[in-house]
Amino acid sequence: HRMTSSSAPEMQIVESLLNALQALPGAHAALRFIEGPSTPSGYRPDAEISLEMGGRQYALRVEAKRDLFPRDAREVLWRMDRSTSAHDGLAILRMVAADSLSPGAKDLLKAEGVGYFDRGGSLYLPAPGAYVYIDKPPPKSIAKAIGSLFTGRRAQVIHALLLHPREWLTGKELAERAQASPATVSQVMTELERLEFIALSDQGVHKGRQLQEPGRLLDQWAEYVKALKPPVFHRYFLPSLHAEQLLETVTRVFAANEVAYAVSFEAAAQAYAPFLSSLSQVKCRAMSGSALEAGLAALNARVVEEGANFSVLETKSPGDLLFREQHQGTWLASPIQVYLDLLRSEGRAKELAQNLRRERISL
């Protein structure tokens, strides 16, 4: 049997599955058919593999795919034949093999008792008497697809959605709130729909969108930021100020010098949801330029390598200060931003992050 050249990548996936099965202790696997025979319902698998394991024999009917998201998984499940024994009496195991499977797709297949394999090393065989479950993180292509949502203007759209998780928003409203183009909003929506994070409603002419499982989306963003390099701060020491005066003084001086800024990290978390008994420093984002320079000069800020009590992440992008909130006169980054920043920090930052999420974010 020869596969056409268009299905060569699928054949490579089937070969990878065969190798993974042959590597299992005490297992013997062989390719029976390329493009398995038609089943009574007219379903034709991409391949059929015979597997001997634990003294039993199975016929694996394999559907081969490139990337699999929940929507694709549903379509595959709908097409698959549900018979449980082949014409020669072998127990049938339905199987999906893919380059990469999203976590949602894995859950769907598992719930239906369908085995799966991806080239990241995940393998699930729900065979009676030969149960195998190896779970690995999604391969890079899926991780990359998800990760691309959390950069630049796309991240602003996600941020806007997470701040209003229970509202139905039109594309126009989202573009305005996120200060992003309608095209960017549309790209993000398409990707979120594919990943099953979006519920749609037809409200007359306008399509409203609402987040599903906002907590899971925030978890994905958290995973993404944890893998990033630590941010590069400009570190300063503000002399003759006690810790409790820091925030108040920075607020007053930056307002007088019209500095665009947003306090984040520990100081902001403490303002939103008090947790620590004392703070040793203030960290913020601020627009670089002459206003910031004037503000730092007025604070008598000295550049230091160690012992900083005031740190600044300079930015040129107004998007980095989007969604900030005024809290007792001080501009704070949004609770979502503060939470993500804390996850990239040291010390007790992780505890602060958990407390903030519990008290102020509740997703």
Side-chain angles (χ1 to χ4, degrees):
H1 300 275
R2 290 177 64 82
M3 280 192 126
T4 57
S5 59
S6 66
S7 57
E10 280 79 4
M11 194 56 219
Q12 287 170 359
I13 294 165
V14 171
E15 281 167 8
S16 296
L17 167 61
L18 254 178
N19 294 336
L21 293 170
Q22 284 161 350
L24 292 172
H28 300 283
L31 191 60
R32 295 181 87 195
F33 303 104
I34 293 166
E35 285 202 0
S38 264
T39 65
S41 67
Y43 169 66
R44 203 181 176 109
D46 290 320
E48 194 168 300
I49 291 172
S50 63
L51 174 68
E52 195 178 320
M53 200 173 171
R56 298 191 187 200
Q57 288 190 314
Y58 308 92
L60 269 54
R61 287 197 177 143
V62 183
E63 185 83 15
K65 293 281 174 199
R66 302 296 291 278
D67 294 335
L68 205 75
F69 289 92
R71 189 187 288 177
D72 322 306
R74 261 197 211 96
E75 195 184 310
V76 169
L77 287 167
W78 180 75
R79 280 213 325 273
M80 277 181 157
D81 188 78
R82 292 177 182 274
S83 56
T84 53
S85 83
H87 54 86
D88 45 12
L90 293 183
I92 287 173
L93 192 58
R94 294 174 298 155
M95 188 98 196
V96 174
D99 267 336
S100 48
L101 287 158
S102 78
K106 286 179 182 175
D107 290 345
L108 270 171
L109 295 171
K110 219 159 148 208
E112 288 290 323
V114 172
Y116 60 71
F117 162 80
D118 75 26
R119 285 163 101 174
S122 291
L123 178 61
Y124 174 59
L125 283 178
Y131 184 88
V132 177
Y133 181 45
I134 302 165
D135 196 36
K136 296 282 177 76
K140 289 203 166 47
S141 59
I142 293 248
K144 201 170 159 193
I146 295 170
S148 70
L149 288 169
F150 306 126
T151 57
R153 299 286 167 109
R154 290 188 291 272
Q156 291 170 205
V157 178
I158 301 284
H159 203 150
L161 281 165
L162 286 171
L163 286 172
H164 305 279
R166 285 158 197 94
E167 277 185 49
W168 291 95
L169 297 169
T170 64
K172 188 166 179 265
E173 287 167 332
L174 260 175
E176 283 166 6
R177 289 186 189 191
Q179 292 180 14
S181 70
T184 300
V185 170
S186 179
Q187 283 168 5
V188 172
M189 287 302 122
T190 302
E191 196 59 34
L192 287 178
E193 270 182 67
R194 194 160 71 120
L195 294 163
E196 306 230 315
F197 281 116
I198 286 292
L200 295 175
S201 101
D202 291 311
Q203 301 168 333
V205 192
H206 305 293
K207 261 209 299 197
R209 296 162 172 93
Q210 187 189 46
L211 266 188
Q212 292 189 115
E213 296 187 79
R216 184 165 66 94
L217 183 57
L218 183 55
D219 291 340
Q220 296 274 12
W221 197 351
E223 287 305 312
Y224 174 78
V225 299
K226 281 183 207 166
L228 298 176
K229 288 179 184 157
V232 179
F233 290 100
H234 294 268
R235 299 175 193 281
Y236 303 97
F237 180 71
L238 308 185
S240 64
L241 284 180
H242 293 301
E244 57 271 16
Q245 298 172 301
L246 276 170
L247 199 57
E248 194 187 313
T249 307
V250 168
T251 298
R252 183 169 39 77
V253 172
F254 272 13
N257 289 276
E258 297 182 355
V259 180
Y261 75 97
V263 171
S264 187
F265 300 88
E266 291 85 351
Q270 190 68 356
Y272 280 128
F275 186 73
L276 301 173
S277 52
S278 67
L279 267 179
S280 56
Q281 65 167 313
V282 169
K283 296 175 186 168
C284 72
R285 279 182 182 73
M287 290 291 280
S288 54
S290 54
L292 176 59
E293 284 163 29
L296 291 168
L299 283 167
N300 195 14
R302 296 181 202 155
V303 177
V304 290
E305 285 296 314
E306 285 179 18
N309 60 2
F310 183 53
S311 301
V312 178
L313 271 175
E314 287 196 27
T315 180
K316 291 183 169 61
S317 163
D320 282 348
L321 302 180
L322 202 56
F323 310 117
R324 63 182 185 160
E325 300 177 16
Q326 215 163 13
H327 194 273
Q328 294 176 352
T330 304
W331 283 107
L332 304 179
S334 82
I336 299 276
Q337 182 66 65
V338 176
Y339 172 73
L340 294 168
D341 284 343
L342 287 168
L343 292 176
R344 298 171 67 188
S345 303
E346 301 298 315
R348 299 189 65 189
K350 306 269 188 305
E351 287 174 75
L352 267 167
Q354 284 162 359
N355 182 61
L356 177 67
R357 183 159 177 175
R358 201 169 42 243
E359 300 292 323
R360 282 300 300 262
I361 298 173
S362 62
L363 291 182

